């Protein structure tokens, strides 16, 4: 109900996102002119974020991303995950960082994103499962990675209760795991 602040983290940027790890550290990201700018609070209770830096791939090159097309989460191990549509790409890409966002490696396995996907979404569930989603030309597709998996699942179309393909608008949507109750995946 009540929010304190504001704390200005970025002088410019749009489409902000934040991910929190279990240890209290936070990673903030915004889209700035084709790049993903990141700031982090390394410890719970820290009052000043570390300096901003651009997300880089394993070769040290800035990730060139499409406007409004990324989602950032932390998993139960403390790794950060990024589901992103790279500039001029025909599919989304899934990246992981084990160094607090300093570098991002494309995920292992045959599935490295969602084919023909735009508006990437990502959800970290309390049991360690990661669920990626994307808009795929009139439908919505999911891919999952459960604890112990070495790769993401092949994408599957999201369906309604009558087994018809979900047909969302061509805009971003969001997923979250309900905690308590039947532990459903909630789509907004």
């Amino acid at each position: 109900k009540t929010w304190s602040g504001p704390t200005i983290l970025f002088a410019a940027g749009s489409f902000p996102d934040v991910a929190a790890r279990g240890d209290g550290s936070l990673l903030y990201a915004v889209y700035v002119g084709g790049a993903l700018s990141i700031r982090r609070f390394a410890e719970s209770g820290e009052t000043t974020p570390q300096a901003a830096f651009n997300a880089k791939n394993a070769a040290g090159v800035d990730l060139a991303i499409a406007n409004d097309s990324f989602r950032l989460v932390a998993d139960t191990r403390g790794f950060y995950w990024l589901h992103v549509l790279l500039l001029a790409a025909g599919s989304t890409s899934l990246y992981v960082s084990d160094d607090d966002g300093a570098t991002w490696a494309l995920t292992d396995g045959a599935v490295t994103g969602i084919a023909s996907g735009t508006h990437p979404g990502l959800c970290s569930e309390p049991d360690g499962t990661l669920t990626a989603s994307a808009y795929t030309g009139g439908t919505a597709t999911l891919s999952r990675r459960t604890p112990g998996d070495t790769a993401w699942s092949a994408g599957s179309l999201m369906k309604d209760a009558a087994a018809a393909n979900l047909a969302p608008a061509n805009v971003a949507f969001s997923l979250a795991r309900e905690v308590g109750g039947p532990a459903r995946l909630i789509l907004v």
Side-chain angles (χ1 to χ4, degrees):
K1 292 183 178 181
T2 304
W3 298 80
S4 63
T7 299
I8 306 300
L9 295 172
F10 299 92
S14 54
F15 310 105
D17 202 3
V18 61
R21 287 199 315 213
D23 66 0
S25 59
L26 300 168
L27 207 62
Y28 295 90
V30 295
Y31 171 86
V32 179
L36 186 64
S37 185
I38 295 175
R39 291 188 82 170
R40 62 180 171 232
F41 283 93
E43 298 175 12
S44 178
E46 187 176 41
T47 58
T48 304
Q50 296 175 4
F53 58 92
N54 285 348
K56 298 185 182 309
N57 64 20
V61 177
D62 286 357
L63 294 177
I65 68 169
N67 195 356
D68 91 339
S69 291
F70 69 93
R71 181 70 173 107
L72 183 67
V73 299
D75 70 14
T76 55
R77 298 172 300 170
F79 292 179
Y80 288 106
W81 288 84
L82 174 65
H83 191 195
V84 63
L85 179 62
L86 297 177
L87 198 57
S91 299
T92 64
S93 298
L94 288 155
Y95 286 88
V96 62
S97 175
D98 62 1
D99 59 6
D100 293 333
T103 57
W104 296 87
L106 192 61
T107 189
D108 293 333
V111 176
T112 59
I114 295 179
S116 301
T118 60
H119 306 301
L122 193 56
C123 171
S124 180
E125 302 177 32
D127 70 354
T129 299
L130 294 167
T131 303
S133 62
Y135 175 81
T136 49
T139 60
T141 300
L142 283 180
S143 178
R144 300 188 84 195
R145 185 178 180 130
T146 58
D149 286 349
T150 57
W152 288 80
S153 69
S156 60
L157 292 176
M158 297 169 69
K159 308 234 180 230
D160 66 16
N165 292 342
L166 288 181
N170 186 9
V171 295
F173 50 89
S174 186
L175 294 170
R177 173 62 73 180
E178 180 180 33
V179 178
R184 298 174 293 191
L185 201 61
I186 305 297
L187 171 66
V188 179

